[in-house]
Structure formats: structure tokens, C-alpha cells
Amino acid sequence: MQAKLSTMFQSLRVRNYRLFATGQLIKLIGVWMMYIAQDWLVLDLSGNSATALGVVTALQFTPVLLLTLISGRLADRYDKRMLLFVANIFWTVLALAMSLLVVTGLVQLWHVFAFAALLGVFNAVETPVRQAFVSELVGMPLLPNALSLNAATFNSARILGPAVAGLAIAAFDVGPVFLITAFSSIAPLVNVVRMRTDELYRKDLPPAGERDQAKVVDGLRYVARRPDILLPMALMSVVGMTLFNFQLTLAALAKTVFKTGAASFGLFTTALAVGALVGALAGTGRRSRPTVWLVLGAAVGCASFGTLVGLAGSYWLVVALLLPTGFFMVFFAQAANQRVQLGVDAAFRGRVMALWVLVFLGTNPVGAPIIGWVAETFGAGASIWIGGLISLAAALLALTWQLRRSGARLRLRVLPMPRFYVVSPGAE
């Protein structure tokens, strides 16, 4: 067990990565508390409108759609550590301003809309830079482990943040939750400053002169020539747009279908995050690039359980189904992320990861208003199972395409335990 735990958390032995991870954990706990408070505030200000939630989600992710590729170019040209520092200063000031509006009681619905749009600008700049920066913190040998621990950090915050937010909203209202978010964002600023630049892994980067010539279109052409990178990105774009809207759909499901309060909504998000944390930790032992079959299998599992969540008729059945849904959701996203990161050249990493963030987050402006409309018209459950079925169809289509392209065959083994496996050409 000691050896297993040592392997699971080995990236934390690297001082720079340890500072990065702890700063992110503190900040993300506050961010997830803010997400819960923001959704609850929108429902209160709009009279329980799922469409208003969809608009907020769209505003939050539209800048990702518009600015992410430019941010990837910045990540390939300039110091990623300094870019992270500047972006986090912007976020700290933004969170503090919003918290003051809420605490003083001056907040209106349009304030939340503006805050969501500015939050999207921050995410558009910070996320691709942060994704690309991980390889400079630990180097390529530890990169799979560090990426998995990133997902574990993210989902640990998703467990703690919503649970604490639900209790805090019930006890103190939403104002203190926004204040906690503002103060928690100081941690990554301090830790970025404390990093030792001479211990960063930058030897595989091209010379500064070549980085200055980095163009967005070159990154797009690079991905277009790489079907092994293009497939997980295309699949993620569909699943991200149709199913990964739980921030919106679970809030509507809790309040409009099961008539629950903020604490019970937090339990939905916490159940999803517990499964997600297990899914993230399941990938920490990975030492090489995930196979395309692992990515496709995880996508099928994610879509299947997501569909069942939407069809579930009882509160506690939804909670139970959110556990495996969260597991496969993060296991799929992390395997796809690692397949992209471990297959890309260092010179293109910033632009490729920007494209990854675009398909992972940037599809929300398209999907969120539609999902919100479906939730308000046909019910929150329908908005989840319809998205699940679309994602399942996309995953099965991608699996069929990959089987035909590779000439492999899918087989079912019944004993000793039922499972599907892939037989490569000539192996039969």
C-alpha cells in the first residue's frame, strides 16, 4: 500500500508542482463554492428560470470559444508562469468586486451575467496556459501522473466546495460564499511567485526566435494531420456540448423536479465529484500514452450512465447513479487529455491544448442555452438523458470508425468475468 501511494502521488515530490497543486486546490474549492452560490443566486433573481441558468453558462464559456486559440499562441510564445500570475490577479480582483455587490445587496441579474462573461475571459486565458505549463513543472516522464493528479485536485475541490457551499448558503446566504472565493484566489498567486524558475523543465522547447513565429493556423493544421489527436478532440466536443452541462442541469433537477434546497443540490454535485475523484485517481498509475480503445470505452461508459441519470425517477437513485457517471466522465476526459498531451510536439503544446480547451469548454455556449430550453420545456431529466443519448451515439460512431480504420474487431468474453476486448488484425 505504501508503494502504491508513493507511485500515485509521486509528482508531489517535485517542489514546483507541489506549490502549483496546493495553490490550485485552495483556489478551486472557493471557485466551486462560487459556482453553487452563483447558480442559486441566478435562480433566486430570475424566478427559478432554467433558461437564465443557460444564459449564464453560455456567457461564461463564450469567451473560451472566442479567445482560447489566441491564448494558446501566447502560451507557445511567452513565459507561462508569468501569464498565470497576471491571469490570477485579474480573477482575484473580479471575484472581490462581485462579492462586494452580493454582500451589500446591490446585485442584480445583469451583474451576474457580466460577472460570468468576465469569468469566461479569465478561463479563456488561464486554462490553456495552465494545461501546457504542467509539462514544464514535472517533465515528460511524470506528466501522466501529474495530469491525473490535476484531475484529482479539481475533483477534490468539487467534493469539498459544493458541500461547504450548500451548508454556507443555508446558514449565511450567498454573500459569504463569494467572499471566500475572493480570498481563496490569493493562494495560487503566492505559490506562483515562490516557484523556482531554474527547476522548470524547458529544455524541449524550441528557441525563442522560433516561438515568436508561432501561429494559430499552424496549430490547427498540425491537429488536422494527426487523426490520433483529432478523434478524442472531436468526441470530446460532442460529449462536452450535450452531456457535460451538469452545473446547469443538476441545479434545475434539484430545484424544479425534486423541490430540494441548496444543501441537497450540493449533494448532487458532491456525488458526481466523488465518482470523478475516484476516476482521476484511477489514472495516476498510468505511465504511457492511453490507447484509443481506452478513450472510446470510457466515453461509452460516461454516456450510458449519464443517460440513466436523466431517466432516474427518485432523488437517491440520481445520487447513486451520479457516482459512476462522475467516474467515467473524468476517466474519459483525463484519458483523452493524456492521449493528446503525450502525443503532441512541445513546440505546438500551447496551441494544441488551447484547441483542447476549446472543444472541452468552448462548446458550452452552443449547448447550454439549448439544454436550458429543453430543461424548461420538457423537464430537467429530459435535458440530461437526451444529451446522454447523443453522446452515446457519437461514442459508438467513433468506435465503429476506429474499428474499420484499424481493421480490429470487438469481442465479448463471458468468463471469468464478462468484458469486451479488442482483437488487433492478424491476432485471430
Side-chain angles (χ1 to χ4, degrees):
M1 179 61 70
Q2 184 178 0
K4 180 68 175 177
L5 290 175
S6 177
T7 302
M8 183 179 293
F9 299 105
Q10 60 183 323
S11 293
L12 293 177
R13 298 174 186 171
V14 180
R15 181 181 181 275
N16 282 345
Y17 181 79
R18 190 164 60 248
L19 289 170
F20 173 82
T22 53
Q24 287 296 311
L25 178 61
I26 295 170
K27 171 193 160 188
L28 287 172
I29 290 173
V31 169
W32 276 104
M33 291 179 67
M34 183 273 300
Y35 280 145
I36 301 299
Q38 175 185 271
D39 290 347
W40 215 249
L41 182 62
V42 169
L43 290 173
D44 284 341
L45 294 174
S46 65
N48 295 335
S49 172
T51 300
L53 274 182
V55 171
V56 168
T57 305
L59 288 171
Q60 191 170 302
F61 291 104
T62 296
V64 177
L65 184 66
L66 299 176
L67 303 175
T68 296
L69 293 180
I70 298 174
S71 301
R73 181 170 182 257
L74 293 176
D76 281 336
R77 293 185 64 179
Y78 301 109
D79 187 340
K80 299 178 184 64
R81 175 173 163 269
M82 184 56 63
L83 289 174
L84 284 177
F85 181 78
V86 173
N88 278 285
I89 287 179
F90 175 83
W91 164 245
T92 301
V93 174
L94 177 63
L96 183 59
M98 185 63 187
S99 66
L100 292 176
L101 282 174
V102 178
V103 169
T104 57
L106 299 175
V107 66
Q108 298 179 30
L109 187 59
W110 73 267
H111 291 144
V112 184
F113 289 163
F115 174 71
L118 291 172
L119 174 60
V121 173
F122 163 77
N123 283 329
V125 175
E126 191 261 0
T127 306
V129 176
R130 172 167 43 83
Q131 291 269 348
F133 187 50
V134 176
S135 64
E136 295 187 15
L137 292 169
V138 297
M140 292 304 293
L142 286 178
L143 185 57
N145 178 258
L147 292 175
S148 295
L149 287 180
N150 273 5
T153 299
F154 180 81
N155 289 289
S156 296
R158 283 178 62 176
I159 294 172
L160 296 172
V164 175
L167 297 175
I169 293 171
F172 309 111
D173 207 0
V174 295
V177 177
F178 279 92
L179 276 175
I180 293 172
T181 298
F183 287 116
S184 67
S185 63
I186 298 173
L189 283 173
V190 174
N191 284 359
V192 164
V193 172
R194 293 177 60 199
M195 288 180 184
R196 297 169 181 164
T197 55
D198 58 334
E199 295 180 6
L200 294 174
Y201 292 82
R202 292 173 169 173
K203 295 179 181 179
D204 57 347
L205 293 177
E210 294 183 22
R211 294 203 304 270
D212 290 342
Q213 301 301 318
K215 297 179 181 178
V216 172
V217 68
D218 292 334
L220 297 176
R221 289 170 180 165
Y222 176 82
V223 172
R225 295 193 299 266
R226 296 286 303 275
D228 60 320
I229 294 176
L230 188 59
L231 179 63
M233 283 193 173
L235 186 55
M236 178 54 74
S237 68
V238 177
V239 178
M241 181 170 58
T242 60
L243 186 59
F244 282 13
N245 286 286
F246 286 114
Q247 178 187 344
L248 160 65
T249 54
L250 290 183
L253 191 69
K255 195 160 189 178
T256 63
V257 176
F258 296 109
K259 312 298 181 184
T260 61
S264 298
F265 168 42
L267 182 59
F268 274 176
T269 311
T270 299
L272 185 73
V274 169
L277 176 59
V278 176
L281 292 176
T284 55
R286 196 171 291 137
R287 293 292 175 273
S288 59
R289 192 183 186 202
T291 66
V292 66
W293 310 114
L294 183 68
V295 174
L296 293 172
V300 171
C302 173
S304 300
F305 280 103
T307 302
L308 293 176
V309 167
L311 295 172
S314 72
Y315 175 86
W316 290 107
L317 182 57
V318 172
V319 172
L321 287 171
L322 284 172
L323 292 168
T325 301
F327 175 90
F328 280 107
M329 182 177 73
V330 169
F331 195 79
F332 159 61
Q334 195 58 37
N337 185 316
Q338 291 175 347
R339 184 158 178 82
V340 172
Q341 282 243 44
L342 295 173
V344 67
D345 294 334
F348 290 93
R349 181 167 284 113
R351 282 163 289 177
V352 171
M353 294 317 299
L355 186 58
W356 167 260
V357 172
L358 179 63
V359 301
F360 187 53
L361 299 177
T363 51
N364 276 272
V366 180
I370 299 173
I371 294 295
W373 176 82
V374 172
E376 196 161 319
T377 306
F378 302 104
S383 69
I384 298 175
W385 66 255
I386 290 173
L389 287 179
I390 295 173
S391 298
L392 182 59
L396 293 176
L397 181 63
L399 176 62
T400 302
W401 179 84
Q402 183 64 32
L403 287 170
R404 290 188 176 182
R405 180 174 179 270
S406 63
R409 295 178 179 273
L410 196 64
R411 292 286 183 263
L412 173 63
R413 178 180 295 165
V414 178
L415 297 175
M417 179 180 293
R419 59 172 296 208
F420 286 98
Y421 64 99
V422 177
V423 178
S424 58
E428 294 177 308

